[in-house]
Amino acid sequence: MEVSELNKYGICDGISEIILTSGIENPNAAPIGVIRKDNRVFIRLYRGSTTYENVKLEKIFAANVTCDPVLFVKSSFSNLENENFRYYPLNTTKIPLLKNSASSVIFRCGEIKHTEQAMTAEIIPMDAVANDYRPRAINRGLTAVIEAAVHATRYELTGDNKFLDLIDQCMETTYKCGGQREKDAAEILLNEIYENKKRVDGGKSTE
Ligand SMILES: Cc1cc2nc3c(=O)[nH]c(=O)nc-3n(C[C@H](O)[C@H](O)[C@H](O)COP(=O)(O)O)c2cc1C
C-alpha cells in the first residue's frame, strides 16, 4: 500500500490523532499521533505505556480513525472494554482493530530509533479497511476535549498544575460547543483528573 493512499482513510499530511490498537494476545488501545511528512509516516511513543511495549515487541499495530471523544478519553486513561475490539487476520496472527472506527490502517514498523524517553518508528502502511465515510463538520467542543485529553495525560505524567488551567480553558469550549458525546467525554476526563489530583494531594500530605 502506498503512503499517498492514506488520504482515503483519513490519515493526511501533518499529525493525525488516531487510536492505536496493539497487542496480539491482550488487545490495548491508546490515542497516539501519527506524523505524516514528505511521503513518510512516523510515530513517537514515550516509554512507560503499554503501547510502547507492544509496538517494540510486535512491530505491528492498527491506527484507527474515529471522532468519538468518549473512546479517546477512555483509552487515554485505561483500556477499552473487550467489546470495542475486532480482529484483522494477517498471515498467521490477528491484529486488534477498533470495532467502531471510521477506518483502520494496519502498519508495520520500519526503522526504529530509541532515545532515553521515547522511540520513534518509521511506519509502513500494509493494508486498510474503511467502514464509514459520513462527513462531520469541525466541532470545537470535540477538538477542545481532545486537547484536554492531551493536557490530562501530561498532568498524569508530571503532576504540574499548569495543565489543570489548560484543561479548564478547554472545558469551557467543550461545554459551549460540544454535543452530548463531547460532554460525556468531558465528564469522564474531569472525574479522572479529580481522582488523580486526590492521589497527588493525598501523597503530598503524608510526606
Ligand atoms: C490526542 C492524544 C494524542 C497522544 N499522542 C501520543 C503520542 O503520539 N505518543 C505517546 O507516547 N503518547 C501519546 N498520548 C498519550 C497516550 O495516549 C497515553 O500515555 C496513554 O495512557 C497510553 O496508554 P497505554 O498505556 O494503554 O498504551 C496521546 C494522548 C492523547 C489524548
Side-chain angles (χ1 to χ4, degrees):
M1 184 180 168
E2 297 294 323
V3 167
S4 59
E5 286 177 70
L6 288 174
N7 285 356
K8 278 196 297 198
Y9 300 95
I11 298 179
C12 303
D13 204 28
I15 302 181
S16 298
E17 307 301 345
I18 53 84
I19 296 186
L20 189 154
T21 46
S22 63
I24 289 161
E25 290 297 323
N26 297 308
N28 183 76
I32 297 293
V34 166
I35 306 154
R36 184 173 158 194
K37 193 171 188 272
D38 302 333
N39 222 31
R40 294 173 75 188
V41 195
F42 302 87
I43 48 171
R44 176 168 297 130
L45 300 176
Y46 290 92
R47 278 179 199 271
S49 71
T50 305
T51 303
Y52 176 98
E53 294 302 331
N54 286 346
V55 173
K56 191 172 146 211
L57 187 73
E58 292 170 353
K59 298 189 173 60
I60 191 151
F61 63 86
N64 303 275
V65 172
T66 175
C67 286
D68 186 336
V70 170
L71 293 182
F72 265 95
V73 167
K74 277 190 177 172
S75 65
S76 298
F77 299 114
S78 58
N79 202 9
L80 299 178
E81 299 86 6
N82 275 342
E83 70 216 33
N84 288 290
F85 295 99
R86 68 188 181 92
Y87 294 88
Y88 181 88
L90 188 82
N91 304 327
T92 53
T93 59
K94 47 189 184 48
I95 316 295
L97 306 183
L98 208 59
K99 201 187 270 173
N100 293 322
S101 60
S103 67
S104 300
V105 181
I106 314 289
F107 284 98
R108 71 172 172 82
C109 293
E111 193 191 358
I112 299 182
K113 288 183 181 151
H114 289 272
T115 63
E116 222 172 275
Q117 293 105 17
M119 69 179 206
T120 303
E122 177 156 12
I123 55 174
I124 292 105
M126 299 179 70
D127 206 352
V129 285
N131 305 315
D132 184 355
Y133 272 116
R134 270 177 300 178
R136 172 149 201 211
I138 289 172
N139 178 286
R140 288 174 56 216
L142 173 66
T143 53
V145 77
I146 301 300
E147 195 64 17
V150 175
H151 296 316
T153 57
R154 291 183 180 156
Y155 176 69
E156 299 241 298
L157 213 62
T158 62
D160 188 334
N161 283 337
K162 81 172 180 205
F163 293 115
L164 297 180
D165 295 336
L166 292 168
I167 291 167
D168 274 351
Q169 287 167 24
C170 293
M171 289 294 105
E172 250 181 62
T173 308
T174 295
Y175 281 106
K176 195 164 108 192
C177 305
Q180 191 54 49
R181 197 76 180 154
E182 284 72 33
K183 289 172 192 163
D184 290 348
E187 193 147 331
I188 297 168
L189 187 145
L190 288 176
N191 195 46
E192 189 65 38
I193 292 292
Y194 174 74
E195 291 298 326
N196 190 282
K197 195 165 169 8
K198 255 194 345 200
R199 275 197 299 274
V200 172
D201 292 349
K204 271 185 194 152
S205 63
T206 55
E207 268 170 14

